[in-house]
Amino acid sequence: MAEIQKAINFSLMSFIAGLALASFAKISIAAYLFLCVLMLLASFLAFFRTKFAAVFFVLVFFLFGSITFEFAKQKSYRFVSIWRNHPLEFEGTVGLVEPAKDGFKRVVLKEKGMGRVVVFLGDTVDIKSGQILKVACKKLEVGKDEAGQNRLAREGIWATCYYPHFSVIKNEVGFSPRFLIDKAKGSFERSLSASFPQPVESLIAGILLGGSNRMTNELSDVFSRTGLTHIVAVSGYNVTLVANFCLIFFIVIGFNRGKSFWFSVVVIFLFIFMVGAPASAIRAGIMGAMVLWASKVGRMANSLRSLAICATAMLTENPFLLRYDLGFSLSFLSTAGIVLTYPLLKKTFSRGRGINIFTEVIFLTFSAGLLTYPLLLTVFGRLPLLAIPINVVVAPVIPVAMFGGLLTGLTGLVNASLAKVVAWPVYSLLQLLISVLEAVSKIPWVNLEISAFSPVYATMYYAVILFLIYWLKNNIDKVGVNSFWSNFPFIAKNNKRAKKNFLVNEIVN
Amino acid sequence: MFVSFQKAKTTLVAVLLFLAVTLAFNVFGKDKSEQQLRVDFLNVGQGDSILLSKGHFQMLIDGGPSGKKVLAEIGKVMPYFDRKIEIVVVTHYDKDHLSGLIEVARNYEIGSIIESGNFSETELARTLREIQVNQSIEKIELYRGDTIRYQDALFTIINPDQKSPLLKASPSDNNDDSLVIHLNWWQSSFLFSADIDDKKEKELLRKNLPLKADVLKVAHHGSKYSTSEDFLKRVAPRVGVIQVGKNSYGHPASETLARLSDLGVRVARNDENGRITFTCQKSQKECKMIMER
């Protein structure tokens, strides 16, 4: 059984590795032929030594991974070449409508049989998904380069329309699920903005509905400098962390772990529904729910395989995610960080006595950040130094804000004046939070700039961290927590036996 | 993971105490006194937006270039339970004055909209008209000589002249037809000069209009074509407020800054000082100026 599990692990990893290689480097035909030769060789040798059968499967999955990406790229080329010669005037059905930066709305238009186009319209125009628009663009661009094209292709978008003129040619939007979600979201958002004054409204709408684009640039900068952008961004990091904060919150207010799990899952689904159920939020939600499940059944350490299966399935469906979707990578890394490190930290520091709520939040934030910060550092060249302590302080505020915001939004649908009263405690809390964060973000060193952090450093960091985790886990499993840490008297200062051993060694030496 | 009942009680008491303090702050802390006039030059970037408050009465002159920015500023200034702005003034239809008002109209109840009768067919102007019609907001056109009185505050319209040949004729360049308002309250006075240029200033100087003011909103973000020396001498302000943000027009112009400095006018700028607030008392000759930074 263990052999089969190992084979599955290796196959999944090699699929992801193959896809990663094809995403980041161009694989030549000769390299593919060489891979086929290796496969043939392995299959031949498998008749003599069964180990080579495993090698064969690893190579097959590696090939599958790369080919999956190549096929997706070919499809992208096909659509991009069609859109390159596409007329500048066309009709399309409105899909996702999101707030964008600098006073714009990002509208995804779908033309029948031609895929999607993204159009930026002024944020004062009233556009609903399901409407049919006639758009005349001054310029249609299919991505500045291949990376730009692929970044759009991960959303099935093939072109961007610039300087558009539009007219609504069909208003009845019908009763599609998207229409219902948008209608619910729109009414809820209006209710929120009628109850909460700014800038609190932009924060609470960000937490409940996703996206930092409602915030002013100044406030959004405050959140990024303090390492809190994730609480308003739709990413797995957000969902995983928020779901776990909710879990802890429900446990603290008196529910058992089982019930708290189900409540937190409901929170995740509500969140996905409220943000308009875009693919990114669904993916993040699946990963977040997986960590919760692992935490519930107490098999956190073994859920790495489930995470790999999840990631493989998502990458098969959309191979562009690995390289071109930062949200996906952050979801994956934060989930992997929690799955790998959190149980280890808990085991090490609890010594079977259980740990208090603050330590739990610290461990959770630390393990979610452990693998994500190097990626963030590589991409943005900045490291929010106080992110972990700030997150620990903010952690209890998030579920309270979510609950209060939800209650206010729903009350506002019935009575606006009552909603103002309901909103007031959360408003005060978030106003205080914003003021404190604004003050903290003014500290010059709070957001350290390390522009020289290259992908090579990140790779080295990941290699060292993974090795350390592997080594720690194996050694602790072999000898037990207490005897393992007794070798490190300074770390295990509360361990009487360790202290004794240390003193004995000192005397002997 | 053990939380004792005692701990929970302590937490509850702490939470209630926090709520009581913030409620007290919201109810008593923010000024609601009818005895005081407050004028906030909101920090909305490159654009104009001024909020005048007296008790529960608010008048918003322009909304700046962005809904997000103006809403964030208003949220910080207006009392929590007050979601009505009694009067919104659209000085003219330029984006840096009008854009933010769309979101204000969507998020706050508005009593009346005051305009100069200037006509514009831009997308923004159309959207504001739609909102005004849909929400049945009263629309008032005011011209030179008209006045608004709210209790002891007197607002006098200085510009535009109803007879202006430009009015309704050239929608593309309506800076000179923008609404200029003079406010007089006990010993305090303000002149909000929107985007008028020196030609218009000369015209205003020729007419016998009440231009003298303690605080001048420097016209057109400190453009070199506005705020002429003669105009400044007549207004004789103590403080000149420049509503300006990051821009490529070279606002405020060094010439304008020099003119202000030569006449001993203290300059306050939104880009450098953040939000600029004046609080005026009946008994005091000068309003107190508070700068955000």
Side-chain angles (χ1 to χ4, degrees), chain B residues 261-277:
Chain B
S261 144
D262 290 348
L263 290 170
V265 180
R266 185 176 171 193
V267 172
R269 299 166 52 166
N270 286 120
D271 59 342
E272 289 178 355
N273 308 118
R275 185 173 60 253
I276 299 152
T277 305

Side-chain angles (χ1 to χ4, degrees), chain A residues 123-125 193-198 213-216 251 355 357 360 420 423-425 427-429 432, chain B residues 1 3 18-19 22-23 26 30 68-69 71-72 75-76 80-81 83 102-103 106-108 123-124 127:
Chain A
D123 65 357
T124 53
V125 285
S193 53
S195 314
F196 289 102
Q198 293 286 7
N213 288 333
R214 291 177 186 81
M215 291 180 169
T216 57
I251 291 172
I355 50 173
I357 194 77
E360 194 152 335
K420 286 284 294 173
W424 171 73
Y427 166 78
S428 307
L429 184 69
L432 180 73
Chain B
M1 193 66 61
V3 179
F18 167 74
L19 291 180
T22 51
L23 180 64
N26 267 301
K30 289 193 180 175
K68 274 192 276 191
K69 281 187 178 163
L71 286 178
K76 287 176 191 165
Y80 173 75
F81 286 105
R83 290 303 290 255
I102 308 289
E103 284 306 306
R106 283 179 181 159
N107 285 276
Y108 284 83
E123 184 69 41
L124 279 173
T127 312

Side-chain angles (χ1 to χ4, degrees), chain A residues 216-507:
Chain A
T216 57
N217 290 349
E218 291 78 14
L219 188 62
S220 162
D221 192 46
V222 165
F223 274 73
S224 122
R225 286 174 66 82
T226 46
L228 280 174
T229 306
H230 63 87
I231 69 168
V232 287
V234 189
S235 80
Y237 186 54
N238 171 358
V239 178
T240 312
L241 220 53
V242 168
N244 274 285
F245 289 162
C246 287
L247 182 78
I248 293 173
F249 176 76
F250 286 125
I251 291 172
V252 167
I253 61 170
F255 292 102
N256 64 28
R257 202 167 261 274
K259 274 190 186 135
S260 303
F261 163 76
W262 287 113
F263 285 141
S264 308
V265 169
V266 169
V267 171
I268 289 187
F269 277 99
L270 260 178
F271 178 76
I272 295 173
F273 181 75
M274 294 311 288
V275 300
S280 60
I282 296 173
R283 282 193 292 268
I286 292 172
M287 290 203 209
M290 224 195 64
V291 176
L292 282 182
W293 174 254
S295 158
K296 179 182 179 269
V297 297
R299 281 165 60 88
M300 184 82 97
N302 295 333
S303 52
L304 197 59
R305 187 179 312 119
S306 325
L307 178 65
I309 294 173
C310 248
T312 309
M314 289 171 188
L315 287 171
T316 314
E317 192 261 330
N318 191 343
F320 291 114
L321 292 177
L322 189 74
R323 183 172 172 188
Y324 300 104
D325 191 324
L326 188 63
F328 173 81
S329 308
L330 290 177
S331 302
F332 181 78
L333 289 172
S334 61
T335 314
I338 290 176
V339 159
L340 284 170
T341 335
Y342 183 57
L344 203 62
L345 287 171
K346 244 178 129 173
K347 207 177 191 179
T348 306
F349 289 92
S350 73
R351 315 271 162 79
R353 290 195 307 271
I355 50 173
N356 69 38
I357 194 77
F358 287 107
T359 323
E360 194 152 335
V361 174
I362 293 172
F363 287 171
L364 207 56
T365 317
F366 176 78
S367 39
L370 191 71
L371 299 184
T372 45
Y373 286 132
L375 181 67
L376 288 173
L377 197 56
T378 318
V379 177
F380 300 112
R382 277 157 170 260
L383 185 69
L385 275 188
L386 292 181
I388 290 176
I390 289 174
N391 269 285
V392 171
V393 175
V394 170
V397 176
I398 296 167
V400 174
M402 284 180 105
F403 180 71
L406 202 65
L407 198 65
T408 306
L410 295 177
T411 313
L413 296 175
V414 184
N415 185 312
S417 308
L418 190 62
K420 286 284 294 173
V421 179
V422 175
W424 171 73
V426 186
Y427 166 78
S428 307
L429 184 69
L430 292 183
Q431 184 68 61
L432 180 73
L433 176 74
I434 290 174
S435 308
V436 172
L437 291 176
E438 275 173 346
V440 173
S441 73
K442 282 184 186 137
I443 304 171
W445 49 264
V446 81
N447 198 16
L448 197 67
E449 204 162 309
I450 313 176
S451 47
F453 198 85
S454 71
V456 179
Y457 291 132
T459 315
M460 277 159 61
Y461 172 92
Y462 284 125
V464 171
I465 286 289
L466 290 177
F467 172 76
L468 266 179
I469 292 171
Y470 178 77
W471 181 79
L472 271 177
K473 192 176 170 300
N474 271 355
N475 283 289
I476 287 179
D477 284 351
K478 261 182 215 159
V479 293
V481 181
N482 283 336
S483 19
F484 175 76
W485 286 111
S486 65
N487 298 317
F488 304 92
F490 292 113
I491 297 170
K493 57 183 174 190
N494 292 328
N495 188 322
K496 277 182 189 166
R497 205 176 72 188
K499 264 189 186 164
K500 204 172 128 195
N501 285 347
F502 179 67
L503 285 174
V504 169
N505 288 338
E506 288 279 283
I507 294 163

Side-chain angles (χ1 to χ4, degrees), chain B residues 8-19:
Chain B
K9 246 175 35 182
T10 318
T11 318
L12 191 68
V13 169
V15 168
L16 288 176
L17 198 66
F18 167 74
L19 291 180

Side-chain angles (χ1 to χ4, degrees), chain A residues 171-188:
Chain A
N171 235 331
E172 328 75 88
V173 285
F175 280 92
S176 64
R178 159 81 49 219
F179 170 77
L180 290 173
I181 289 176
D182 279 0
K183 197 152 177 68
K185 192 179 163 185
S187 313
F188 186 77

Side-chain angles (χ1 to χ4, degrees), chain B residues 113-129:
Chain B
I113 295 180
I114 291 179
E115 296 179 354
S116 67
N118 232 322
F119 185 74
S120 174
E121 260 312 312
T122 59
E123 184 69 41
L124 279 173
R126 262 203 306 273
T127 312
L128 186 69
R129 269 202 293 276

